[in-house]
Amino acid sequence: MTTHDSTPVAGAAADTASASADDRRAVTGKRRIAFAVYVADVGELPGLQTLLRSLALTDPALCEDVVVLHPGLPDASFDAAHRLHPRLTPRPAVGRHDVFRLDGYDTVIALTPALVVLGRIDALLRLRTGVAAVPRTGPEGVPDPRHGIPDDGLLVIQRQDLDHAVPPAAARDVPESVLVPLDSRYDFRALRLRDDLAVPEGVVVLNFAGTQSPCTGPAHAARARFDLDDEAFRAAYLALPGAKHPDLLLHLALPFPDGSRPPIDLVRQLAEIHRGRGHHDLAVALLGEAVADRPDLPRCHETLGVCLMALSRYEEAETHLLLATASPDFAPRAYGQLARMAWLLGRTEDARGYALAGLESDPTDANCRAWYARTSEMVTAGATASDTPPGEQLAHVALFAEGDENAGDKVLPEAVRSCFTADTGPDRWHQQHAHLLVDEAGLERLNARRAVIVGGGGLFLPDTAPNGNSGWQWNIPDDVLARITAPLAVFAVGYNVFDGQRYRRERFAASLRALVERSAFFGLRNHGSVARVRELLPASLREKVRYQPCPTTVARHLDARLAEPAVREDTVLINCAYDRAGLRFGHDYGHFLAEMAAAIRAISGAAEVRYAAHMPADERFVDDLRREHGLVLPVEPLYLLSNDAIRDLYRRTRLVIGMRGHAGMIPFGCGTPVISLVSHPKLAYFLADIDRPDWGVSVHERALGARLAERALDVLADHPAAVADVHDRQRALWSVTRGNLALLRELTGLPDPFDDPGTGPVVPAPRSAAGEDRVAPSLRTAPPTP
C-alpha cells in the first residue's frame, strides 16, 4: 500500500487497542475497516460523543476502530470519548481531508461530529469499490450526482481506489470515475426538515451540519436520545436485547459500579467473552465471586467448570461441573464436559460413566453419545495389548480424529508415521493423544519408547482444547517435559493462530522455549510458522527451528499406490471452512458467497463441480449457496470415509479448490492441482513454500469470482501441464523431507523405509466398512511412483 508522508497521519500505528491480536492481514488479504472522525476544536467533542453513543445504541454488535483526527488537541480532551468506545485512537491531522490518507486501513467510513446514526449501517461496511457518498442536493432539494459531493457529509472510502493517485484535498475533489452515489438515507440533511416535520422512516444517518442550536422538532428529538451521561449510556447499552460486540460489552460493563451487584446473566456473558479469548483466569475471577455459596446457578457453574478445566485446575472444575448436573436443562452438557475431563486425565471408566449419565439425562445428546462410543472403544482396545516390546515402538503425540471429526486430522497422523516406518499401525507405534494430560504414568510410557514424535498438524493453537500446562495443544507441564529421556522430535507442526486472533503469549512462549530446548529435532511445516515461532524464542534457540513440510504434501513419495491414475474423473472439488468464521471472513461473507457462486457457474461449463466436506460444519457453504444463489452442489462427506478413500477421491479429481489447509495439502500430495481460498495465513505460507503464490486467492479479493474462474479454467484447459507442475513442486518438498529423515534416523536408529521403491507403508484397516467401499481396487494395486 502506498503511503503519503506529507501528513502526520501517515505511518501511524494502526491500532493500539488491538495490539494483542495476531495481525497477518498482509498474508490473508483481510480488509481492515475504520471509522474516521475529524474534530476541528474542543467545541466539536460533544458532537463526537453523541455520535459514538448513537453508533453503539443503534448497532450494539458493531465495534470497529474509531480514529479521531484532530489539529493537536491535548490528550485529555478525549477522555470522555475513550469511556464510550474501546477502540478509539486520536491522531494528529492537518484537516478532514486526511481521512483519504489514513494508513493501516483498507476501508474508511468518514463521519463528522454533526452526524448521528439512527439505523444499521451494515450495507456501508459491505461496500467494496470507489468512494461512496450522498451527492449534493440540486435546486429541488434532492441529491443530484451532477452537483458533486459535500465536504461535511458521510464518505465510504476504499483506499485501494486512491492509492495510485494523489489523495483528494477535499471530498469535492474525488474523481468522478470512482464516485459511488449513496441513497440519501445514509446522509440525510436535517436542514431539509422544518421544526414540525418528522424524520422520514428509513433514515440511517442524520446530518445536522448547518443547523442552528438549540433547536426543537422531531429531528433534534432524535438526536437528543443520544445525549446521555456515562451511567445512563452504559445502562441503556446493557439493557439492549440481542447480540453485543464483545469488545464493546466488556468496555461498557466493566468495571462494575461500586456497591452494585451485577445481574448474574451479565456476569456469565462477560465470563464467556473472557473464555472465548483465552483469558480463563479473568473468567474464573468473575464467576468465582458470583457463584460463591450459590449452588442454584447451574449455567454459571458449567461455564466456571469449563474455564477451570482450561487452566488445568481439574479438581475444582469437576466440583463445579457436578453442581451444574443438578439442573435437567444443563446436565447433558455438564456431563459431556465431565466425560471429556475424565478422558483428559486418563480416567476412561469414569469418562464412560459420565457420558452414560448424560445420555440418561438426554438420550439425544450427540456429545455424550460420542464420548460414550469413544470411551467404550478405548475400554475394549485396552484389553488387548500389543505384543511388541515398548522399546521397539515409537511414541506419536498428535491429534487423532474420530467419528465425524476433521478428515484432514484423520489422514495426517498416518502420513507422519509413513515417514518413519513402513508399518504405521499399533505394533510399531504407541499413540498418545495430544490433549491427554501427560502425568507420571504417561511420562513413563513415553520414556519406554524408542523415540517420541510430536506432530504434525497445527498444534500451536491456543484455543483448541486449552490447558494451563502448556498454552498449546500438547497438555504437558514444563517439569514433565524436562524429564522426557527418550529422543524427542517435533515433526511438521504448524503455528495455526488466525489473523486477528487474540491470545496470551506468556505461557505458550515459556512452554515453547522448554520444548525447543528439549527437542533433538524441531521442524515446522512452513516457513511462515518457522518465522513466527522464532519471534517467540531467544536468539540462542532460533536456529534449532527448521523447515519440515507436512508429510501429506509428499504422499506420492510415501505411498507407491498413489501413482498418477490412468483416468481422472471430470470433476472439480470445492471445500470451505467455518470454524472461527468471523476471523476468516470479517464483513465479507456475503461478498465471498456471491463471488463463489459466479465462479462455480463459470467453472461448471468445463467440469462437474462437487463439494468436499472435511467435517459436517463445512456443509454450511452448500446450504448458504442454495438459499442465497439457487445453486445446488453434490456433497462428498469426507469425514465419513477411510483414509484410503479420502486420498483416492482427491487423486482422481482434476482440481481442488480448498479453504482448509489439508483440502490443499492432501490433494497436492496426491498429485492433483489445487487453488487455495486464503482465509488463514497457513494457506499462503504453503503456497509461498512451493513458490506458487498465484495458486491462492484471498476470500476478501474484490474480483474473487473472476480470478478463481480464470485460474481454474486455465488448469482444466492444460491439465497435464498443471499436474506436471505439482509433481515438480513436490520434488523439492520431498528433498527437504528426505534430508530431515536422514537426521531423524540417527536419532531413532530405524532403517530407511524407502530403500526399496516397491515397498509402501502398511496401512491400518479402514475406519468403517462404508469407507472401505469407496476405495477403488486399482488404488490397492497401483504400480510404484515413478
Side-chain angles (χ1 to χ4, degrees):
M1 180 178 290
T2 304
T3 58
H4 308 281
D5 296 331
S6 60
T7 168
V9 175
D15 172 40
T16 56
S18 296
S20 61
D22 218 61
D23 184 359
R24 284 297 175 268
R25 64 185 183 277
V27 176
T28 63
K30 187 175 181 179
R31 268 198 312 151
R32 189 80 181 275
I33 301 174
F35 294 107
V37 186
Y38 181 72
V39 175
D41 52 51
V42 293
E44 291 191 334
L45 289 173
L48 168 67
Q49 295 157 27
T50 300
L51 170 64
L52 294 174
R53 295 187 202 101
S54 72
L55 273 169
L57 295 177
T58 302
D59 191 349
L62 177 66
C63 185
E64 299 296 333
D65 292 358
V66 175
V67 181
V68 180
L69 304 176
H70 62 94
L73 300 177
D75 290 344
S77 303
F78 303 100
D79 288 351
H82 278 298
R83 292 196 297 270
L84 303 178
H85 200 283
R87 293 164 61 178
L88 184 140
T89 305
R91 293 190 190 179
V94 173
R96 190 183 186 234
H97 61 278
D98 280 338
V99 298
F100 292 106
R101 56 188 77 191
L102 200 63
D103 287 345
Y105 297 97
D106 304 293
T107 298
V108 176
I109 302 178
L111 306 171
T112 79
L115 302 178
V116 291
V117 179
L118 305 181
R120 295 176 65 91
I121 58 173
D122 307 64
L124 301 181
L125 297 167
R126 293 193 294 266
L127 292 174
R128 299 299 307 269
T129 59
V131 176
V134 176
R136 289 179 181 272
T137 56
E140 304 299 323
V142 177
D144 188 339
R146 293 174 297 180
H147 292 82
I149 57 177
D151 288 329
D152 57 357
L154 176 145
L155 303 169
V156 183
I157 303 162
Q158 309 299 333
R159 288 290 311 280
Q160 177 180 345
D161 292 325
L162 297 177
D163 275 344
H164 301 294
V166 177
R172 61 179 175 273
D173 298 326
V174 172
E176 187 176 351
S177 60
V178 299
L179 182 60
V180 178
L182 284 177
D183 188 275
S184 64
R185 69 179 181 273
Y186 290 107
D187 189 3
F188 192 90
R189 301 280 164 158
L191 281 174
R192 295 175 60 186
L193 303 172
R194 300 182 182 89
D195 286 346
D196 59 344
L197 291 180
V199 178
E201 186 176 352
V203 167
V204 176
V205 179
L206 192 57
N207 191 335
F208 288 86
T211 61
Q212 297 298 315
S213 182
C215 291
T216 59
H220 291 273
R223 177 173 184 153
R225 290 190 289 116
F226 305 110
D227 289 331
L228 306 170
D229 61 31
D230 286 355
E231 184 176 350
F233 169 59
R234 284 165 52 123
Y237 182 83
L238 296 177
L240 289 172
K244 297 178 178 66
H245 194 282
D247 287 355
L248 204 49
L249 181 55
L250 281 176
H251 186 75
L252 296 180
L254 296 174
F256 297 127
D258 292 338
S260 68
R261 186 174 182 86
I264 193 65
D265 284 344
L266 175 60
V267 174
R268 189 193 58 77
Q269 279 183 285
L270 300 179
E272 288 285 6
I273 294 172
H274 286 316
R275 173 191 170 193
R277 294 178 172 179
H279 299 170
H280 299 97
D281 54 338
L282 299 180
V284 167
L286 272 176
L287 284 171
E289 182 178 352
V291 304
D293 303 320
R294 292 288 305 276
D296 59 329
L297 300 172
R299 192 172 186 183
C300 290
H301 282 288
E302 182 205 2
T303 301
L304 179 54
V306 171
C307 293
L308 287 164
M309 183 165 45
L311 294 172
S312 299
R313 293 164 57 177
Y314 297 116
E315 289 185 13
E316 297 169 81
E318 191 162 18
T319 298
H320 288 282
L321 289 170
L322 285 170
L323 285 171
T325 65
S327 167
D329 292 335
F330 298 100
R333 286 200 328 209
Y335 276 123
Q337 294 291 351
L338 284 162
R340 179 176 179 275
M341 184 172 65
W343 170 78
L344 288 176
L345 300 176
R347 294 160 41 193
T348 305
E349 289 284 5
D350 288 346
R352 186 166 179 261
Y354 281 138
L356 182 58
L359 288 174
E360 290 172 350
S361 299
D362 180 2
T364 67
D365 188 86
N367 189 40
C368 288
R369 185 165 298 281
W371 278 114
Y372 184 75
R374 168 184 273 186
T375 51
S376 297
E377 291 172 3
M378 290 174 65
V379 170
T380 302
T384 307
S386 172
D387 294 331
T388 306
E392 296 181 14
Q393 290 183 316
L394 294 170
H396 188 193
V397 178
L399 301 183
F400 300 98
E402 299 176 346
D404 291 353
E405 295 175 353
N406 193 331
D409 290 337
K410 296 178 182 178
V411 173
L412 179 56
E414 182 182 295
V416 170
R417 297 178 184 192
S418 297
C419 292
F420 294 88
T421 61
D423 182 352
T424 62
D427 286 343
R428 296 303 304 270
W429 291 85
H430 166 69
Q431 180 170 301
Q432 170 79 19
H433 197 293
H435 295 169
L436 291 173
L437 174 67
V438 184
D439 55 13
E440 293 300 321
L443 175 64
E444 184 177 348
R445 288 191 293 270
L446 293 177
N447 282 336
R449 265 64 194 185
R450 180 189 291 264
V452 178
I453 310 299
V454 181
L459 297 181
F460 293 147
L461 185 64
D463 62 343
T464 296
N467 71 82
N469 290 318
S470 70
W472 56 292
Q473 291 196 60
W474 192 14
N475 193 355
I476 184 168
D478 288 354
D479 67 307
V480 177
L481 176 64
R483 289 184 287 129
I484 292 180
T485 56
L488 177 64
V490 174
F491 189 79
V493 169
Y495 180 90
N496 260 27
V497 176
F498 280 73
D499 179 19
Q501 185 170 14
R502 292 178 172 89
Y503 76 103
R504 288 185 168 174
R505 292 162 171 79
E506 296 85 357
R507 175 82 289 266
F508 170 58
S511 176
L512 177 67
R513 184 166 58 250
L515 180 68
V516 176
E517 288 173 343
R518 180 64 193 81
S519 299
F521 178 90
F522 195 93
L524 302 184
R525 67 183 180 186
N526 51 61
H527 283 96
S529 290
V530 169
R532 301 307 313 284
V533 166
R534 283 177 173 172
E535 291 172 1
L536 298 170
L537 293 172
S540 60
L541 293 176
R542 290 171 188 163
E543 291 308 311
K544 287 192 70 173
V545 182
R546 63 171 64 226
Y547 170 48
Q548 168 53 53
C550 180
T552 60
T553 65
V554 292
R556 292 176 58 255
H557 296 273
L558 297 173
D559 190 341
R561 300 172 303 168
L562 296 177
E564 178 67 18
V567 178
R568 288 180 183 262
E569 296 173 359
D570 197 20
T571 59
V572 171
L573 295 178
I574 290 178
N575 163 269
C576 296
Y578 285 91
D579 52 311
R580 306 166 186 84
L583 293 174
R584 289 185 184 275
F585 300 109
H587 293 286
D588 290 340
Y589 182 62
H591 167 79
F592 165 76
L593 201 63
E595 292 293 306
M596 288 298 295
I600 290 168
R601 287 189 172 99
I603 297 168
S604 294
E608 181 189 8
V609 179
R610 303 179 70 86
Y611 189 71
H614 275 224
M615 55 194 309
D618 292 0
E619 295 178 21
R620 174 181 165 183
F621 177 79
V622 178
D623 296 336
D624 290 352
L625 195 68
R626 179 178 62 249
R627 183 182 63 255
E628 298 295 330
H629 299 281
L631 284 176
V632 178
L633 295 183
V635 176
E636 298 283 357
L638 272 66
Y639 52 86
L640 296 178
L641 305 184
S642 70
N643 290 350
D644 277 349
I646 292 168
R647 287 184 288 257
D648 187 43
L649 183 71
Y650 273 143
R651 71 189 281 269
R652 292 182 176 279
T653 192
R654 298 179 67 194
L655 170 66
V656 176
I657 300 170
M659 190 181 297
R660 291 196 175 276
H662 281 103
M665 290 188 285
I666 294 173
F668 174 90
C670 295
T672 297
V674 297
I675 301 174
S676 291
L677 297 169
V678 180
S679 67
H680 188 290
K682 65 183 178 183
L683 289 98
Y685 292 158
F686 169 64
L687 297 180
D689 287 343
I690 61 175
D691 195 27
R692 289 295 182 270
D694 57 313
W695 288 8
V697 56
S698 169
V699 299
H700 306 278
E701 168 67 41
R702 184 185 292 185
L704 167 62
R707 284 196 57 192
L708 184 58
E710 179 183 17
R711 172 66 187 155
L713 293 173
D714 285 347
V715 169
L716 297 175
D718 194 356
H719 196 259
V723 171
D725 198 11
V726 170
H727 291 182
D728 180 64
R729 300 294 93 194
Q730 200 176 65
R731 276 190 285 271
L733 304 186
W734 180 236
S735 177
V736 173
T737 300
R738 288 288 276 165
N740 287 336
L741 291 178
L743 297 174
L744 285 161
R745 282 197 301 278
E746 298 177 11
L747 185 70
T748 63
L750 292 170
D752 185 353
F754 308 105
D755 276 347
D756 180 0
T759 302
V762 178
V763 182
R767 296 178 182 272
S768 67
E772 175 68 11
D773 292 340
R774 294 298 307 269
V775 183
S778 60
L779 177 57
R780 306 189 189 97
T781 58
T785 304

